[in-house]
Amino acid sequence: MRLESPPELEAFRMKVRAFIAEHAPGRKFHTGVRAPDPELMPGIRAWTAALFEAGFLGIDWPREYGGRPDAHPLEAFIVAEELTRARTWEPIGAGALASAALIEFGSAEQQRRFLPRIRTGQDIWCQLFSEPDAGSDLAALQTRARRDGDEFVVDGQKVWTTNGQYADVGYLLARTDPDARKHRGITAFALDMRTPGIEVRPLREITGTTDFNEVFLDSVRIPADRVIGEVNDGWRVAMSSLGHERSGVAAHGVGLFLALEDLLDLASGFTSGGRPALEDGAVRQTVGELAARVYVNDAMVKLGQSRMLSGTEDPADAPLGKIFFSELNLDLAEYGMRLQGTDGILAEGDPEVAAGGWWQDAFLYARAYTIAGGANEVLRTVVAERALGLPREPG
């Protein structure tokens, strides 16, 4: 298992860290995958272009589109870690997911059209996968796309579309053969989000922010040349592109270390019985238990990276990593609230709230990680059936 980085990777890390310190668009206050305020969008687009131009994004892209195929495969993880460590914005949207699909399955014309615009930040992509009745069971999606000459006509609804309010292009899954088995008959599309018939409705969450959206598609026409891959082969396209999204796991691990540091600061600054809370034995014991789990999570991340490098990945690696991270992240946020006592009921923006209300926002958002990317209950079933070979649940 990889525990230490070789010197060349540490040199790359220092280069990334220095670049971020000089060029980053400022601190990202809220935790999680969040949508920026509208006035931040020009800066984030420019920041995305700068990261690509410096060779820190699109590392595994084809050389003709700025990739560096000879780069170390862990460089993408390092970039994700350093962006998180700096508490700054990473590129928003589903550009990484869409580019993976376009590079593996897209036509040469699609690659020429879309990849340069992702690099320059001109196109923000959103992910149009989930539906009200097709979240963890994505293959149950019901949005329909019927062929009409050189176009497809799409009707349906998507939900939980992060950054949909800013998206220029949507990575859409729709059912093109309603009679096929549910994992078949699905097609992937690149959808211009300015097409008539698309309505994006922002959803205001319990955090008070608007990160997700509903997207309604009413007789939306998509040119047939915007199909990514083959018609009715969209499930394979989607699963392959999702499999490329692994660097975020490393970023989550760094995020837990930051949360632990913040928890120690909180426990040192808050008083209980006239003394810092951290001087209480019970508090130290709980913080110690959480710290041990943070280091276990780090070991799990490094094990997953080592297996990736050696080609020995296990079907349980990704789901177990996501389950462990999301539940630990929730426990850290909950304990941060508990340490504040009655001050925990203060809201973000209150002048007396600790850390500007960061803990309150983190607590409200943390539950989302146990659902997003596959509910933990569903992922436990995946581990049981695909990794341990246990009998499948009755259909």
Side-chain angles (χ1 to χ4, degrees), residues 60-143:
D60 58 348
W61 285 22
R63 193 181 301 276
E64 61 265 34
Y65 292 107
R68 295 184 288 112
D70 57 343
H72 195 287
L74 291 183
E75 287 187 12
F77 288 93
I78 289 173
V79 174
E81 288 175 347
E82 291 304 314
L83 287 170
T84 300
R85 181 172 285 111
R87 302 181 190 246
T88 192
W89 288 94
E90 60 187 18
I92 68 167
L97 194 71
S99 62
L102 291 165
I103 289 167
E104 185 170 359
F105 297 97
S107 67
E109 192 281 329
Q110 288 174 341
Q111 293 173 3
R112 286 192 298 269
R113 177 182 180 84
F114 292 116
L115 293 180
R117 294 178 64 86
I118 293 174
R119 285 186 59 87
T120 59
Q122 289 175 272
D123 282 350
I124 302 294
W125 285 64
C126 65
Q127 182 181 347
L128 298 171
F129 285 17
S130 295
E131 299 182 4
D133 295 317
S136 294
D137 185 12
L138 177 60
L141 65 86
Q142 293 299 311
T143 294

Side-chain angles (χ1 to χ4, degrees), residues 30 34 204-211 348 361 364-365:
H30 293 122
R34 312 297 280 272
R204 191 169 182 84
E205 291 105 51
I206 194 172
T207 56
T209 58
T210 299
D211 307 304
E348 182 182 338
D361 179 81
L364 293 172
Y365 188 86

Side-chain angles (χ1 to χ4, degrees), residues 281-304:
V283 171
R284 288 202 306 274
Q285 181 173 334
T286 301
V287 172
E289 290 173 353
L290 291 168
R293 291 169 61 191
V294 169
Y295 279 92
V296 169
N297 181 83
D298 185 55
M300 292 176 68
V301 169
K302 289 180 169 61
L303 176 61

Side-chain angles (χ1 to χ4, degrees), residues 202-218:
L203 294 168
R204 191 169 182 84
E205 291 105 51
I206 194 172
T207 56
T209 58
T210 299
D211 307 304
F212 299 122
N213 301 266
E214 295 177 288
V215 179
F216 296 87
L217 304 125
D218 183 9

Side-chain angles (χ1 to χ4, degrees), residues 23-320:
H23 299 286
R27 183 185 176 98
K28 176 186 173 188
F29 180 75
H30 293 122
T31 186
V33 182
R34 312 297 280 272
D37 292 331
E39 62 270 18
L40 296 177
M41 284 302 299
I44 289 174
R45 288 181 187 268
W47 173 231
T48 299
L51 286 167
F52 270 108
E53 184 63 26
F56 299 145
L57 294 181
I59 295 170
D60 58 348
W61 285 22
R63 193 181 301 276
E64 61 265 34
Y65 292 107
R68 295 184 288 112
D70 57 343
H72 195 287
L74 291 183
E75 287 187 12
F77 288 93
I78 289 173
V79 174
E81 288 175 347
E82 291 304 314
L83 287 170
T84 300
R85 181 172 285 111
R87 302 181 190 246
T88 192
W89 288 94
E90 60 187 18
I92 68 167
L97 194 71
S99 62
L102 291 165
I103 289 167
E104 185 170 359
F105 297 97
S107 67
E109 192 281 329
Q110 288 174 341
Q111 293 173 3
R112 286 192 298 269
R113 177 182 180 84
F114 292 116
L115 293 180
R117 294 178 64 86
I118 293 174
R119 285 186 59 87
T120 59
Q122 289 175 272
D123 282 350
I124 302 294
W125 285 64
C126 65
Q127 182 181 347
L128 298 171
F129 285 17
S130 295
E131 299 182 4
D133 295 317
S136 294
D137 185 12
L138 177 60
L141 65 86
Q142 293 299 311
T143 294
R144 301 291 179 91
R146 60 177 177 82
R147 188 72 182 250
D148 183 20
D150 292 333
E151 297 177 315
F152 285 84
V153 181
V154 183
D155 292 279
Q157 178 188 354
K158 298 293 180 176
V159 75
W160 313 127
T161 306
T162 310
N163 292 299
Q165 68 269 51
Y166 301 128
D168 305 289
V169 189
Y171 179 13
L172 170 70
L173 293 184
R175 190 166 297 283
T176 42
D177 185 352
D179 299 320
R181 295 173 60 183
K182 69 178 188 177
H183 288 87
R184 301 177 183 177
I186 294 173
T187 300
F189 298 89
L191 170 64
D192 185 337
M193 292 296 288
R194 292 172 291 271
T195 306
I198 298 175
E199 181 183 1
V200 179
R201 297 183 191 171
L203 294 168
R204 191 169 182 84
E205 291 105 51
I206 194 172
T207 56
T209 58
T210 299
D211 307 304
F212 299 122
N213 301 266
E214 295 177 288
V215 179
F216 296 87
L217 304 125
D218 183 9
S219 299
V220 174
R221 290 186 169 270
I222 307 177
D225 63 7
R226 298 298 172 85
V227 170
I228 303 174
E230 300 295 328
V231 174
N232 296 330
D233 196 31
W235 183 258
R236 186 165 69 100
V237 175
M239 292 304 102
S240 175
S241 57
L242 287 168
H244 284 80
E245 280 292 272
R246 293 176 291 199
S247 60
V249 176
H252 288 164
V254 171
L256 291 177
F257 277 110
L258 295 176
L260 180 62
E261 291 176 10
D262 292 341
L263 187 67
L264 287 167
D265 290 342
L266 183 68
S268 300
F270 255 79
T271 58
S272 177
R275 59 180 183 167
L278 197 57
E279 292 184 10
D280 182 272
V283 171
R284 288 202 306 274
Q285 181 173 334
T286 301
V287 172
E289 290 173 353
L290 291 168
R293 291 169 61 191
V294 169
Y295 279 92
V296 169
N297 181 83
D298 185 55
M300 292 176 68
V301 169
K302 289 180 169 61
L303 176 61
Q305 292 175 348
S306 295
R307 285 181 169 171
M308 180 199 75
L309 291 175
S310 62
T312 58
E313 291 173 283
D314 187 276
D317 287 347
L320 284 178

